[in-house]
Amino acid sequence: MPPPDLLDQLRTRKLITGSVQFEPLFGGRTNMVWKVLGESGDTVLKLYRNKLRNPMFRNDAHLEALCLRAFEQDGFVPRLQATGQHQGDAWVLYDHAPGRPWESGTAQVASLLRKLHGSTVDLPLPSGRNGSADLARHGAELLALCSSSLRDRVTAMRPEDPVPPTKRTCLIHGDPVAGNILVDGSNLTLIDWQCPAIGDPCEDLALFLSPAMQHLYHGAPLAPDERARFLTEYGDPETVTRYDALQPWYAWRMAAYCLWRSENGSTDYEKGLQLELKALEDRAISE
């Protein structure tokens, strides 16, 4: 159950009325989330845990609220109902989106991300990582937080080919993994907007295609034909070519992140680390 004083706050604001039930949702890995089953419709309550600092993914309730409001008319985000504070942590309440976490059909996801990246919505968002030098710095920051013997192995596998920053930045979701994409027939909904940015669209492509993230949220990495279909259906050859050049850098940084997570108690990231290292090795062999 949510904290009693938070429930009192929601009732005072008439955001929950009458008889309601709460079902914990366990798809997220940072915040506390409940499905609220109410007489007038189901909602989702997310209580941010801002004391948990993640060096890869920002966790900002204000940014999530901004994006939900901005894209409310576009049909691919839940409708925001309210935001607030509870004992120093933020919370958001939004309509429950129908559907199940994404399992198959990469073309649908590619079309959704292309639509997002083509948006003209102007929001005051932080800048994303852009170019290989930026990714190299970020990966080094992550590895500096690690202490196991694997740190040296990951460090040694850092790519060498530089890729300059792009001027074609846009609004990116920042965490479009399978668990954050709900599918209801032909309709897709993007949830968990706590780390959007103005950045390189390749960042979103890399996160969705990441072997580690697909393993964690989908059960297995994508097959080669699924990856190819995704990149074809995205429909922007210039961005796809850029992603291909940056892919080793994204894999290396993700390996560093998986090592950090596994060293901090998330043992399910150990397999993700091995998958990203294999992706780096396979790329090196192919070249």
Side-chain angles (χ1 to χ4, degrees), residues 136-191:
R137 283 190 292 270
H138 195 195
E141 291 167 5
L142 293 166
L143 289 171
L145 301 174
C146 302
S147 58
S148 73
S149 58
L150 281 171
R151 181 179 67 177
D152 292 341
R153 180 186 174 193
V154 176
T155 300
M157 295 183 72
R158 199 194 88 158
E160 297 181 356
D161 295 336
V163 181
T166 180
K167 295 181 179 179
R168 294 181 62 202
T169 58
C170 61
L171 194 155
I172 61 175
H173 180 275
D175 191 16
V177 297
N180 289 338
I181 303 168
L182 301 180
V183 181
D184 182 34
S186 61
N187 297 319
L188 270 60
T189 303
L190 268 172
I191 61 173

Side-chain angles (χ1 to χ4, degrees), residues 32-198:
M32 302 177 69
V33 187
W34 297 268
K35 181 179 179 181
V36 187
L37 290 78
E39 297 173 352
S40 57
D42 297 341
T43 56
V44 172
L45 174 63
K46 179 190 292 187
L47 177 59
Y48 281 72
R49 295 194 290 179
N50 293 324
K51 296 179 181 64
L52 300 176
R53 299 298 179 186
N54 187 304
M56 179 87 161
F57 296 101
R58 190 179 290 105
N59 191 36
D60 192 316
H62 173 66
L63 297 183
E64 175 152 30
L66 276 180
C67 290
L68 294 187
R69 289 192 183 101
F71 290 111
E72 182 176 351
Q73 302 303 318
D74 292 77
F76 58 80
V77 302
R79 185 178 70 88
L80 181 69
Q81 289 203 10
T83 63
Q85 294 285 323
H86 172 262
Q87 296 184 4
D89 288 330
W91 57 264
V92 296
L93 183 75
Y94 54 82
D95 287 353
H96 180 262
R100 297 178 58 83
W102 181 88
E103 294 180 349
S104 63
T106 56
Q108 281 183 291
V109 180
S111 297
L112 174 63
L113 292 180
R114 182 65 190 279
K115 179 180 179 180
L116 169 64
H117 297 159
S119 167
T120 58
V121 169
D122 185 18
L123 296 176
L125 301 178
S127 298
R129 306 284 176 170
N130 192 346
S132 60
D134 215 355
L135 293 170
R137 283 190 292 270
H138 195 195
E141 291 167 5
L142 293 166
L143 289 171
L145 301 174
C146 302
S147 58
S148 73
S149 58
L150 281 171
R151 181 179 67 177
D152 292 341
R153 180 186 174 193
V154 176
T155 300
M157 295 183 72
R158 199 194 88 158
E160 297 181 356
D161 295 336
V163 181
T166 180
K167 295 181 179 179
R168 294 181 62 202
T169 58
C170 61
L171 194 155
I172 61 175
H173 180 275
D175 191 16
V177 297
N180 289 338
I181 303 168
L182 301 180
V183 181
D184 182 34
S186 61
N187 297 319
L188 270 60
T189 303
L190 268 172
I191 61 173
D192 284 359
W193 285 82
Q194 58 255 25
C195 51
I198 302 300

Side-chain angles (χ1 to χ4, degrees), residues 143 150-161 211-212 227 243-257 272-287:
L143 289 171
L150 281 171
R151 181 179 67 177
D152 292 341
R153 180 186 174 193
V154 176
T155 300
M157 295 183 72
R158 199 194 88 158
E160 297 181 356
D161 295 336
R227 291 175 57 87
Y243 161 75
D244 184 65
L246 283 167
Q247 185 270 331
W249 290 99
Y250 285 122
W252 179 73
R253 181 185 61 165
M254 184 58 74
Y257 176 67
L273 169 61
Q274 298 306 318
L275 289 169
E276 296 294 339
L277 293 179
K278 184 178 185 302
L280 280 168
E281 292 167 351
D282 290 348
R283 177 65 177 253
I285 292 172
S286 68
E287 295 178 347

